[in-house]
Amino acid sequence: MKLNWGMIGGGEGSQIGPAHRLGAQADGNFNLAAAALDADPAKGRAYAQSLGVAADRAYGDWREMLAGETAREDRIDLVTVATPNATHYEITKAFLEAGFHVLCEKPMTMTVEQGEDIVRTARAAGKICAVNYCYSAYPMVRQMRAMVRAGEIGKVRLVVTNFSHGHHGDATDADNPRVRWRYDPAMAGVSGQFADCGIHALHMASFIVGDEVEKVSADFASTIASRVLEDDAMVNFRMAGGTVGRLWTSSVAIGRQHGFDIQIFGETGGMRWASEQPNQVYYTPVGGRTQIMEKGESGLCSDAARLSRVAIAHPEGFPLAVANIYVDLAAAIRGGSSDGLPLAEDGLRSMAAVYASVASAKADGAWTDARPPMFR
Amino acid sequence: MKLNWGMIGGGEGSQIGPAHRLGAQADGNFNLAAAALDADPAKGRAYAQSLGVAADRAYGDWREMLAGETAREDRIDLVTVATPNATHYEITKAFLEAGFHVLCEKPMTMTVEQGEDIVRTARAAGKICAVNYCYSAYPMVRQMRAMVRAGEIGKVRLVVTNFSHGHHGDATDADNPRVRWRYDPAMAGVSGQFADCGIHALHMASFIVGDEVEKVSADFASTIASRVLEDDAMVNFRMAGGTVGRLWTSSVAIGRQHGFDIQIFGETGGMRWASEQPNQVYYTPVGGRTQIMEKGESGLCSDAARLSRVAIAHPEGFPLAVANIYVDLAAAIRGGSSDGLPLAEDGLRSMAAVYASVASAKADGAWTDARPPMFR
Amino acid sequence: MKLNWGMIGGGEGSQIGPAHRLGAQADGNFNLAAAALDADPAKGRAYAQSLGVAADRAYGDWREMLAGETAREDRIDLVTVATPNATHYEITKAFLEAGFHVLCEKPMTMTVEQGEDIVRTARAAGKICAVNYCYSAYPMVRQMRAMVRAGEIGKVRLVVTNFSHGHHGDATDADNPRVRWRYDPAMAGVSGQFADCGIHALHMASFIVGDEVEKVSADFASTIASRVLEDDAMVNFRMAGGTVGRLWTSSVAIGRQHGFDIQIFGETGGMRWASEQPNQVYYTPVGGRTQIMEKGESGLCSDAARLSRVAIAHPEGFPLAVANIYVDLAAAIRGGSSDGLPLAEDGLRSMAAVYASVASAKADGAWTDARPPMFR
Amino acid sequence: MKLNWGMIGGGEGSQIGPAHRLGAQADGNFNLAAAALDADPAKGRAYAQSLGVAADRAYGDWREMLAGETAREDRIDLVTVATPNATHYEITKAFLEAGFHVLCEKPMTMTVEQGEDIVRTARAAGKICAVNYCYSAYPMVRQMRAMVRAGEIGKVRLVVTNFSHGHHGDATDADNPRVRWRYDPAMAGVSGQFADCGIHALHMASFIVGDEVEKVSADFASTIASRVLEDDAMVNFRMAGGTVGRLWTSSVAIGRQHGFDIQIFGETGGMRWASEQPNQVYYTPVGGRTQIMEKGESGLCSDAARLSRVAIAHPEGFPLAVANIYVDLAAAIRGGSSDGLPLAEDGLRSMAAVYASVASAKADGAWTDARPPMFR
Ligand SMILES: NC(=O)c1ccc[n+]([C@@H]2O[C@H](COP(=O)([O-])OP(=O)(O)OC[C@H]3O[C@@H](n4cnc5c(N)ncnc54)[C@H](O)[C@@H]3O)[C@@H](O)[C@H]2O)c1
Ligand SMILES: NC(=O)c1ccc[n+]([C@@H]2O[C@H](COP(=O)([O-])OP(=O)(O)OC[C@H]3O[C@@H](n4cnc5c(N)ncnc54)[C@H](O)[C@@H]3O)[C@@H](O)[C@H]2O)c1
Ligand SMILES: NC(=O)c1ccc[n+]([C@@H]2O[C@H](COP(=O)([O-])OP(=O)(O)OC[C@H]3O[C@@H](n4cnc5c(N)ncnc54)[C@H](O)[C@@H]3O)[C@@H](O)[C@H]2O)c1
Ligand SMILES: NC(=O)c1ccc[n+]([C@@H]2O[C@H](COP(=O)([O-])OP(=O)(O)OC[C@H]3O[C@@H](n4cnc5c(N)ncnc54)[C@H](O)[C@@H]3O)[C@@H](O)[C@H]2O)c1
């Protein structure tokens, strides 16, 4: 039986909405049963119905949806929150408290305190609160994680990760509202590019290595003068087990489209993965040759095998990484393991790292505790 | 309203089944309403129901399904035929005659005569008979096609295309039944690797250039001695407008995973696309630098824009190329254009080229007419 | 002690001259002692002296040089012939007969008969006649050869090689004399692009596999209408041991700069090398992962190690491949082995393959004996 | 006339010696006239003579050579110092004072004070003191420099550069003397990997952008516990014009062979170059497509054209980048411009940046003045 799924945000013309709809429905696990898709209630209702949502579940806003769904017997099993960042906390908290499982877009909250509140709320409610760190659901990222955790490259010494693009590099476009809000503290909070893209990379480091980030030393820059928040950041970090980390993120790296890559170096090997060629991992045992590992090759870990749909060298891309988050959510909702799912704790850790990095950058690069207070 | 969709073949554990289910459902156009998924009726019925098909439409075989669906008011709008090659003709013909639209897997038929029969049947029935040359539905392939047809590289002089892998290169595995049948004329017909992979490449050449293949000169080889049919083939061809073509296909190219690429060279430019990195096209204007074109960049043709779901540099892969075939099918069924859809005529042309290539290879490489008799 | 070296052709502004001078002198084996560098005697004399050649050995033409050097006690040990193709035969023959070792540019001769004559002349004189198939002297090509010959990929089933560029693709430039002569039988002989670039690729196939080409089936095209000779060719071939070969060469492949690559597929593995990234070989054992082999890595064959000068990942390029030909020539002149050196026999085989391909292309692609008569 | 050249260090079996010999002699500018090649006088003398150096100029040590050459009329025009780091200062200073031009290997000195002394000495002597930042002499690096300085990417906002390999990543090999000394302050001074490789990258940033590094914030790590000095470093920097810099260098990045790359991002474009594929630059104008620029293409700057020897897509590698340093040295010695030559001032700036980075890393990442005192 398909699970009933609801969606908030991600209306017509939104960036991430189509990936969620495709991701939730691709494998037949979820049925779009309810939605409040748009800031404009009328548009949201109309678009939801055009997508096959029944008229009485095509809501004008999320409060209406919360009330409506809470009252139904056939209430949705999962709600996705894909609205602008500043609304995530309030919506996610309300649905968790009402007993719904939630998939929240990143960043989960705007502050560390909100993040801690969501973690406590999810725990109290006994509900899943997942965060859409969807890159972690690529089959070959799962493969790296399995190999690293199995010790195949030994103790991890070093993680180097970049998430840099150049799509905000045009100064003549900097006042375009779709771009400008990201660098305006009134709308984006304490961080621009690092909170937008950097946290994917930071999450990935912990996800693969299996250790938390303990402290950071950061350098932030606003390379376009009119910007208050950073459009380029370097964050050095240390993980619980002593792993050294280096994370560069930029939105003014003209010529990079979406340069998210991660390199993991351990005592007995190194690995590299890049989001623009996500179906391969380059693996080098110490003293040996670099090997190209392929999604779909024989002998991959069960997680990588399970989350791939087509044969070797038939590429699977970003929407199917999002779909894999939904595959894991469906399993978890049905009582299975949520081993690989990014959860509220991860969303909280990201926010703590963002605040610590901001503080470090202001304090002359001083090393700063990046752990959420509740996990110290 | 979603369209009702039926599926024949593509049962549990099949190779291409998941891509069709994902492709049909990814964009919310189709609802899996009826199915005869497996050679084993019981397994097929059970698996269909596990996928949400109602018990009375989870059929044991395709004849049962044909009878059942023909009798219903809410009959399916489209049936996909994803069974082994030798059954395509019979099933496709029967459903067309009964008034259903069909998406048939490649190769559409085993002989040229069957191919002509399907073309005539589809025309007589006034129904769409599409063939799953799904690579042609990648956004950046459509972009190439649009540019070539708009004359952006001038008259096309030369097409060079390869579709080569090494997955049948292990002689110790050659007797594995999953491999062996492909090189056995009793099961595979007149051609092995060329009919399996080469026809994708040949179709692509015509699809992009907009001209038909007129004649071929071929060299076939069975590099593993026990094989009767070719596991490696080179086919030189000429197109209607004089374009020179070169097509290499192999299944013993150890180290190539799925090396399908195409290069188009015209009077004023060249282009290159590869299926393992499908979101880019390399384009070189004569006398100028090679430019990397990205899926999702601004200014692409409407077809490329329409068939992409996520932003630039968020890769989209094989299952979403299949999904694009369904996007176009949904549009065509609803009365829109079927401009980009590969149709029965294309399936027929492939079969004519296969037979001509086999004949040429036997005749010392002699140039041989590759057009179906009905199109001469 | 340095060897004395003479050079004919390769004057100021010539394309290949600098590579020979750099190649001969890079490793300190040769001293440029005599030269007849230019079609224009005065320019040749002046340029030679500017390069440090003594006035009495800065000759106006090759006959003068032949006479002058033959008469000296300290005569040159080796002469390089880097003049236009049509002069190679006459010059090479004359110097061999006079007892000089010769390095001749490719193609060695214009006809098969001339080629046989050079082979006989070199044998009679007991002198080395090398041909500058310089790509075969890249360290990683030698590594492939050593591995293939040691059986590391089993019996070779298939060789696929391309040598294609787009530098003659501009029809508006086709009458430029620097381009036009190549497609004019009066100046270029029977073949254009195949005799210019294709023979490098064909030599490489034999060089690595260790077998000769026995027969060919060819398709030639002049994609620019004003051309008599081919600017694009496909040559299928069979080698003595049964290996299947496919060779594509083009000069109208706009966007390809210098796309010379070769793939070797055997029973137990595959390998790939490309001239634009010459310091790596991609090697895939059957059933295993592709491995990236690096020039300079530990454990390479002695030939690959010997012919590299700097550490791993410090790239070495085309001029040092030419230099490696001179390293091997110096060793051979000093009495060492000439194991890897391309010799007159190879130059002859190329010419026989060119004539056979031309004949096959004219004979509807018929398979044609490609062996020189004297080797049948 | 060839210039007379002398060499100190770079004996038989040394790593960099062959590149200097090849580089100096490749283009016929220099003649190896004198040498003190080895720590072992007898071996040095013998090896020099085997390379063609006259017996009386095949010296046992550099002091003997200094005395001998100073006394001769036909004294060498240039001496290369390719000995271990700790000896560079003393030898370079002595030869400059005696009136010789010097090419010193990097790092030029062990301390900032020594660096300032060399700058003053070279100025006082009126002699060239070049430092072998040879990567800066690749044609396509010169092309980037010319474009950046001509404003083709606008004001430079950001430079991101990496120089990372994994060849010291094997802990079981860490006590190998060839590796260990690099991380031992008694032999290597204050810095390990940053002083060895990082300074190439830092020099390149200034070389291309045309601005000096003013301050740094660094994070150093010894990922192999037995090491005192860093084997991994991240250095953030700011340049005089406000450009933001990010430099990562590592010797434990297993799988990276020699990953030296640099990305330059300006107001109106971005560029990328990598040392393992040195003949291309990727250039992206803001809002446009990435273009692949090729060494040898038409329209390159005169410097890039001048420093290339063979046609487009014929790769030129590391030894010829070293050769380009000698091309520029020959020109400067003959009275031409030394525009692109890395000089003592550059060697000094590197050392100042090393000390500043070490200090910053110890001071919790604090931003630290990286300019040599004499340039503040
Ligand atoms: N995981 C990823 O890789 C990824 C990628 C892109 C965006 N995102 C995240 O997704 C979220 C949305 O980003 P986007 O780029 O799609 O934004 P967008 O501006 O393109 O779309 C936002 C959508 O939310 C709707 N909306 C706004 N307020 C609403 C409200 N109160 N109730 C209901 N709908 C409302 C808007 O009408 C619009 O349809 C952001 O938090 C962003 O960080 C994540
Ligand atoms: N377009 C492409 O890129 C592409 C890729 C792979 C396969 N294909 C084509 O898809 C077809 C299926 O290939 P596959 O690799 O998935 O094969 P497969 O052997 O993996 O699966 C075939 C499926 O069909 C079922 N089946 C067999 N006979 C049936 C019948 N009479 N009625 C109902 N179901 C039946 C089987 O039980 C099985 O589930 C072939 O024609 C193949 O050429 C196309
Ligand atoms: N091995 C390779 O990869 C490679 C690459 C390029 C060229 N080549 C070969 O090198 C040869 C020369 O090609 P190029 O591109 O340098 O040609 P080019 O036209 O650039 O130069 C030819 C040179 O030879 C001189 N010359 C002509 N006739 C002469 C004569 N009778 N005596 C002395 N000098 C004479 C000319 O003055 C000129 O300097 C050709 O045979 C070509 O096929 C080989
Ligand atoms: N520019 C570059 O890219 C690059 C690359 C590699 C090395 N280097 C530099 O080159 C220098 C040498 O490095 P290497 O890797 O070749 O070292 P190496 O240890 O391989 O060789 C050093 C050579 O110097 C000789 N030598 C030592 N002391 C001597 C003395 N007092 N007099 C004469 N000869 C002496 C040794 O016998 C040996 O032949 C170092 O400073 C290194 O940093 C630069």
Side-chain angles (χ1 to χ4, degrees), chain C residues 314, chain D residues 8-17 36-40 62 82-85 87-88 105-107 132 134-135 178 182 196 200 318:
Chain C
H314 290 70
Chain D
I8 302 173
E12 194 164 13
S14 70
Q15 202 195 322
I16 200 68
L37 296 174
D38 210 286
D40 175 331
W62 68 266
T83 51
N85 302 352
T87 66
H88 294 174
E105 262 303 342
K106 44 65 34 185
N132 193 29
C134 47
Y135 295 94
R178 290 190 74 94
R182 296 190 173 278
D196 188 42
H200 272 298
F318 180 88

Side-chain angles (χ1 to χ4, degrees), chain D residues 52 140 204 234 287:
Chain D
M140 293 312 278
M204 184 80 92
M234 181 75 216

Side-chain angles (χ1 to χ4, degrees), chain D residues 117-173:
Chain D
D117 194 19
I118 293 290
V119 168
R120 288 196 188 93
T121 305
R123 290 179 181 179
K127 293 293 152 189
I128 299 165
C129 177
V131 181
N132 193 29
Y133 290 125
C134 47
Y135 295 94
S136 68
Y138 270 110
M140 293 312 278
V141 170
R142 298 292 178 103
Q143 176 64 20
M144 284 178 90
R145 180 184 186 237
M147 288 176 71
V148 168
R149 295 195 173 196
E152 294 196 30
I153 62 165
K155 191 169 169 336
V156 178
R157 292 169 178 159
L158 179 64
V159 175
V160 180
T161 181
N162 305 305
F163 197 148
S164 294
H165 64 78
H167 299 297
H168 300 162
D170 187 354
T172 65
D173 189 46

Side-chain angles (χ1 to χ4, degrees), chain B residues 54-68:
Chain B
D56 64 329
R57 299 176 87 174
Y59 300 100
D61 69 42
W62 68 265
R63 285 174 223 272
E64 197 182 305
M65 177 164 157
L66 179 64

